[in-house]
Amino acid sequence: MAEPPVEAGGGGGGDPAVSEAWGSGVSGVRGARAGSRALERQRLEALLNRSLRIRMSDGRTLVGAFLCTDRQSNVILGSAQEFLKAADAFPGSEPRVLGLAMVPGHHIVSIEVEPPYP
């Protein structure tokens, strides 16, 4: 009996326990993974077009509308503005307007959802 194809980014990858489960017809692992993916997707969809504040490893902060992400945790922001860290910024300096920006996932330190304005 041939093993089923492994999904990119999360299959068996040589794990004997997972291969054993596939071979014996046990689908509980697959069902649990699908349920958690659906929940994760719903959480991300709820954030679409919301304003996010992303702090980067070099001290910059980007604020913009969340448009999308990918498996490498890269984030696309629309109408993004860049704020420099306090040590580099002049007092009263204005943010730099970037527009559409891609933030590499490995540079993201934290992400905050901005509260909606009344």
Side-chain angles (χ1 to χ4, degrees), residues 35-48 66:
S36 67
R37 280 194 205 134
L39 180 61
E40 291 168 1
R41 183 181 177 107
Q42 287 176 348
R43 293 174 83 183
L44 280 174
E45 285 177 354
L47 294 175
L48 282 174
F66 174 62

Side-chain angles (χ1 to χ4, degrees), residues 65-79:
F66 174 62
L67 298 180
C68 69
T69 187
D70 61 12
R71 289 182 184 217
Q72 289 79 33
S73 299
N74 300 317
V75 174
I76 304 290
L77 294 178
S79 304

Side-chain angles (χ1 to χ4, degrees), residues 10-37:
D15 185 355
V18 173
S19 296
E20 215 171 280
W22 279 111
S24 64
V26 175
S27 62
V29 174
R30 185 177 193 183
R33 224 181 313 159
S36 67
R37 280 194 205 134

Side-chain angles (χ1 to χ4, degrees), residues 48 55 94 100 107:
L48 282 174
R55 289 194 174 82
E94 301 228 353
L100 192 63
H107 287 294

Side-chain angles (χ1 to χ4, degrees), residues 57-113:
S57 58
D58 62 0
R60 293 180 291 165
T61 300
L62 299 179
V63 177
F66 174 62
L67 298 180
C68 69
T69 187
D70 61 12
R71 289 182 184 217
Q72 289 79 33
S73 299
N74 300 317
V75 174
I76 304 290
L77 294 178
S79 304
Q81 295 181 337
E82 175 187 53
F83 297 87
L84 299 177
K85 57 186 173 184
D88 292 346
F90 295 107
S93 65
E94 301 228 353
R96 187 170 92 165
V97 177
L98 300 177
L100 192 63
M102 194 278 288
V103 185
H106 63 275
H107 287 294
I108 296 174
V109 174
S110 69
I111 298 177
E112 299 173 30
V113 178

